[in-house]
Amino acid sequence: MKKVNGNGRGLIIYGALLLLGVLIYFYVSSMYRNEDTSYTNDRLEDDLKENRVYAVNILQNQEIPTGTVEVLFKDGTRKVYYTPDVKVTEKLIQNGNDEVSFHMLDVKRPSVLEKFLPYLIMGILFAVLIGILLAQMSGGGGGGNSKILSFGKSRARKIEETNIKFDDVAGLVEEKEELVEIVDFLSDPAKYINLGARIPKGIILVGPPGTGKTLLAKAVAGEAGVPFFSISGSDFVEMFVGVGAARVRDLFQDAKKNSPCIVFIDEIDAVGRRRGSGLGGGHDEREQTLNQLLVEMDGFDENSGIIVLAATNRVDILDPAILRPGRFDRKISVNRPDVKGREDILKVHIKNKPIGDDVDLHKIARTTAGFSGADLENLVNEAAIAAAKDNRKFINSSDIEKSFVKVGIGTEKRSRVVPEKERKITAYHEAGHAILFHELSEVESVHSVSIIPNGVGAAGYTMPLPENDNIFNTKKKMLQHIMVDFGGRIAEELIFEDVTTGASQDIKQATATARDMVIKYGFSEKVGPINYETEDEEVFLGRDLGHARAFGENVATTIDEEVKSIIEYCYSEAKKVIEANMDVLHKCAELLLEKEKIDGEEFDALFSKND
Ligand code: ADP
Ligand code: MG
Ligand code: ZN
């Protein structure tokens, strides 16, 4: 910013400010300097005699003997003078001319503050100007700690001393292990430098939102006891050209002065997208910022004690230049927590919260598959709010359950009156899903079934219980998941001989799974193990428009046919399973209509009674 404005233009601005200050000074002070020292009671006597006076006002205040007299003349002029003896003035008027109107006006004399106001304004203006000039001189070419004119720095940059420790980051065991050496390096850079060890300059943390990337970066700084400079890529997006780059430059300048330290660039994808990918093309602000970042990354020495951490949830859209050696050449993926991780995260977040004996963290962890650390934190917080609303001193399991639905699926809304017919359809629909979860070998068993609407569109839900966190999906498992998806629709069809629009989400999900099987995982023999995915995102970004569909009509037709045959197979298989369990379907629907929500045990019991 300073460089943009330059010194010449800066001086003109200061000059103008100074001039303005002087003008304000004279204007304000003139308001208090209008008395005429040459005018006296004697001259007033003359003027009265010669009939020149129209009115006289004695402006009185607490200090009456030394009053101010205002004389208004017939020719429109006006004089104000001080007199040590107002009584004399008074007499003059009474003895003089009856036509002269006379008033004792109660006015406030200027207070001490008012008297000094002009000087105060001047003083402040001077202090500010001198401050700016000094900061400018000491700041030299661009660094400086001047906060006054550093428009280019203040907003997107933060420096923090964090006291977050690795213990505050639950789970993420391997991720933390990878960062231990970074902490050690930052705490004692000399140890590494003396051995000639090369420590990575940049590490990129990749993972979905809320998985603890920011937390982890802060914990590294906290463990090493070094300053934490952070900046977020999204802050640059709507900025003026040149500002983003200037901020990056300033950030690194500050970091160099404060090394060892951590520089954290959050949401690096906002600036770090592949260059030249925008449809508008060309040299935009983002690109300048990215270039500046790369220049800075290359500009400091490996062992200068600065470690740059960055976070993103889209490593695939990053400009490859970012990931080149000497820049962000190490990648740590931060994943959603598994069952154990979830339990540990819950433990961290209930630390300062009173928890009832009926709260089983292990069970909560098992039912929250797919929740991120942030979701779990939110869950515990919502539960605390629910407990407080009920005026309880501790959180019980029903609080957790309520917030579980709120956080995981949406708000639990019992208030909307659901028509009986709709409830019945939903009950059979969910029972259909649940039966398939129970009967199929590769899918999870049922955790709970509910027909309580969540307020965001879903009339009910069937929640599976995760047994373990698998990395791989198998073909068989994917097929069975499609079958489960159709369970709702099939139950509706069998019972009501009609179908509703309520299954649209299920159908969407089933179709997506079937398509992935064909074009992504090579599970279709006719199509073969070839990836036919289209990069939807990239098409929007304008990159490789020609690649939107890199295959011909024939392949497209085959893909569609294969997807259709998978869907048809799953639909008929699922229908067989439900038809074989019609009694459970009825019983389950009835129980749901009665209780609105049943848990896994209650559901399983419907089968055992049947045997
Ligand atoms: P990200 O940067 O990956 O989007 P954050 O680090 O900002 O996620 O996480 C948001 C919040 O979620 C944290 O402040 C913390 O309360 C909670 N959280 C996320 N992951 C964890 C974890 N592994 N352990 C404890 N809390 C976590
Ligand atoms: Mg974050
Ligand atoms: Zn459904």
Side-chain angles (χ1 to χ4, degrees):
M1 198 63 191
K2 274 171 200 160
K3 275 180 188 160
V4 177
N5 270 343
N7 276 336
R9 250 211 278 171
L11 277 179
I12 293 172
I13 292 172
Y14 302 150
L17 275 175
L18 195 68
L19 198 67
L20 191 69
V22 171
L23 286 175
I24 289 174
Y25 171 73
F26 281 114
Y27 175 71
V28 173
S29 58
S30 74
M31 301 196 322
Y32 298 94
R33 287 249 192 103
N34 49 8
E35 73 269 18
D36 188 342
T37 43
S38 66
Y39 205 77
T40 60
N41 278 343
D42 289 347
R43 281 186 60 185
L44 175 64
E45 195 177 359
D46 291 344
D47 285 335
L48 283 168
K49 267 180 199 154
E50 288 173 40
N51 213 8
R52 281 196 288 262
V53 178
Y54 166 72
V56 176
N57 297 320
I58 293 185
L59 311 176
Q60 50 167 22
N61 49 57
Q62 284 97 326
E63 311 156 43
I64 261 274
T66 48
T68 303
V69 183
E70 185 186 40
V71 186
L72 302 170
F73 295 95
K74 285 182 175 164
D75 64 5
T77 57
R78 168 180 178 268
K79 286 219 184 297
V80 178
Y81 69 101
Y82 278 116
T83 173
D85 198 347
V86 186
K87 290 268 174 321
V88 174
T89 317
E90 243 174 279
K91 277 217 181 85
L92 279 177
I93 298 159
Q94 278 154 9
N95 301 339
N97 196 331
D98 282 351
E99 283 173 352
V100 175
S101 79
F102 172 63
H103 297 282
M104 300 282 277
L105 294 179
D106 251 312
V107 296
K108 219 174 104 257
R109 285 194 77 180
S111 70
V112 177
L113 177 71
E114 280 163 337
K115 268 186 188 161
F116 286 100
L117 197 64
Y119 304 98
L120 204 68
I121 291 173
M122 263 328 263
I124 291 171
L125 274 171
F126 267 110
V128 169
L129 283 172
I130 287 170
I132 290 170
L133 288 171
L134 282 178
Q136 195 69 5
M137 282 193 293
S138 72
N145 286 322
S146 153
K147 290 276 185 293
I148 299 163
L149 279 189
S150 53
F151 306 117
K153 325 163 88 179
S154 47
R155 244 187 60 211
R157 187 205 52 180
K158 279 189 309 218
I159 176 168
E160 273 176 58
E161 303 279 332
T162 85
N163 47 18
I164 291 169
K165 294 282 155 62
F166 275 158
D167 276 349
D168 300 314
V169 187
L172 304 181
V173 180
E174 288 138 47
E175 291 85 346
K176 283 193 273 189
E177 264 166 24
E178 287 203 54
L179 290 166
V180 163
E181 68 179 56
I182 302 297
V183 171
D184 197 41
F185 168 75
L186 289 169
S187 344
D188 186 6
K191 189 168 88 183
Y192 287 79
I193 293 164
N194 294 340
L195 280 167
R198 196 180 73 89
I199 283 289
K201 275 187 196 179
I203 298 170
I204 190 155
L205 305 169
V206 185
T211 46
K213 299 180 294 295
T214 307
L215 195 67
L216 206 53
K218 283 185 180 169
V220 171
E223 285 281 335
V226 300
F228 180 80
F229 290 90
S230 73
I231 197 167
S232 176
S234 62
D235 292 345
F236 293 130
V237 174
E238 78 270 30
M239 254 179 221
F240 301 112
V241 172
V243 175
R247 284 195 185 170
V248 169
R249 191 170 54 235
D250 286 335
L251 178 72
F252 277 87
Q253 225 136 22
D254 285 351
K256 278 175 204 161
K257 278 181 214 150
N258 291 287
S259 83
C261 66
I262 290 277
V263 172
F264 179 60
I265 301 168
D266 208 354
E267 300 177 57
I268 194 173
D269 44 298
V271 285
R273 284 213 192 106
R274 282 190 178 88
R275 281 172 291 189
S277 65
L279 281 172
H283 303 265
D284 59 352
E285 167 60 5
R286 220 196 60 226
E287 202 160 298
Q288 279 194 28
T289 309
L290 173 59
N291 287 338
Q292 188 62 41
L293 178 64
L294 297 178
V295 166
E296 296 293 344
M297 288 293 290
D298 295 339
F300 70 85
D301 192 63
E302 263 146 20
N303 289 325
S304 61
I306 302 173
I307 302 280
V308 188
L309 296 178
T312 180
N313 45 16
R314 294 290 313 270
V315 77
D316 53 316
I317 60 165
L318 287 185
D319 196 308
I322 289 181
L323 307 170
R324 224 166 267 157
R327 293 169 182 168
F328 293 97
D329 48 4
R330 197 184 285 187
K331 194 178 97 184
I332 297 180
S333 54
V334 182
N335 289 313
R336 289 215 178 85
D338 60 8
V339 183
K340 172 100 177 31
R342 290 199 297 272
E343 194 174 338
D344 291 343
I345 293 171
L346 286 167
K347 277 181 193 154
V348 165
H349 291 290
I350 60 151
K351 231 178 224 164
N352 301 313
K353 295 186 176 73
I355 294 284
D357 292 337
D358 63 338
V359 175
D360 180 353
L361 291 186
H362 183 68
K363 194 173 158 210
I364 301 170
R366 280 164 63 95
T367 56
T368 45
F371 274 43
S372 69
D375 294 333
L376 292 167
E377 195 255 355
N378 196 4
L379 177 79
V380 175
N381 188 49
E382 289 288 347
I385 290 170
K389 256 192 203 158
D390 267 12
N391 295 317
R392 259 179 288 106
K393 295 255 184 310
F394 56 88
I395 298 168
N396 65 26
S397 66
S398 81
D399 297 324
I400 304 265
E401 229 144 84
K402 260 186 225 154
S403 47
F404 177 66
V405 176
K406 207 166 175 180
V407 175
I409 309 152
T411 320
E412 191 164 9
K413 267 195 194 149
R414 287 164 189 271
S415 50
R416 182 184 157 235
V417 182
V418 184
E420 196 51 37
K421 170 91 181 175
E422 205 176 295
R423 283 183 83 231
K424 203 169 167 192
I425 293 171
T426 307
Y428 275 98
H429 179 108
E430 296 306 329
H433 283 308
I435 286 171
L436 287 160
F437 269 123
H438 185 274
E439 293 291 284
L440 298 175
S441 59
E442 303 298 303
V443 295
E444 306 83 353
S445 53
V446 171
H447 164 261
S448 57
V449 190
S450 158
I451 58 163
I452 299 167
N454 66 18
V456 288
Y461 64 87
T462 302
M463 194 160 293
L465 185 71
E467 293 299 331
N468 46 33
D469 297 83
N470 291 326
I471 295 166
F472 291 123
N473 239 335
T474 63
K475 181 175 175 181
K476 198 171 170 191
K477 194 170 162 184
M478 287 179 95
L479 287 171
Q480 293 194 353
H481 270 290
I482 298 174
M483 293 177 202
V484 170
D485 288 335
F486 285 131
R489 156 65 70 109
I490 290 166
E492 286 180 32
E493 190 189 289
L494 289 172
I495 304 297
F496 302 100
E497 287 164 351
D498 193 5
V499 287
T500 68
T501 54
S504 66
Q505 201 55 39
D506 295 332
I507 292 170
K508 192 174 169 186
Q509 195 172 311
T511 312
T513 310
R515 230 187 132 70
D516 275 353
M517 289 175 71
V518 175
I519 65 171
K520 195 169 171 182
Y521 302 115
F523 287 164
S524 150
E525 270 167 34
K526 273 196 200 141
V527 173
I530 300 166
N531 185 310
Y532 285 113
E533 279 179 283
T534 50
E535 296 174 81
D536 287 337
E537 288 275 349
E538 306 297 355
V539 174
F540 286 120
L541 295 173
R543 180 176 156 263
D544 298 339
L545 274 173
H547 273 245
R549 214 185 63 185
F551 49 89
E553 281 305 318
N554 287 346
V555 176
T557 310
T558 314
I559 289 173
D560 288 343
E561 279 167 8
E562 284 295 273
V563 170
K564 192 153 185 275
S565 87
I566 289 174
I567 298 279
E568 275 167 0
Y569 165 78
C570 292
Y571 199 92
S572 72
E573 286 300 301
K575 199 167 175 176
K576 281 181 213 159
V577 175
I578 293 184
E579 277 169 339
N581 288 283
M582 287 304 276
D583 51 335
V584 179
L585 185 70
H586 285 298
K587 274 196 257 168
C588 178
E590 272 156 34
L591 194 59
L592 276 171
L593 286 169
E594 184 199 323
K595 297 187 68 179
E596 293 206 332
K597 190 173 174 182
I598 59 178
D599 64 25
E601 277 165 37
E602 287 170 297
F603 176 72
D604 291 343
L606 299 173
F607 285 85
S608 52
K609 268 183 222 153
N610 200 34
D611 287 337

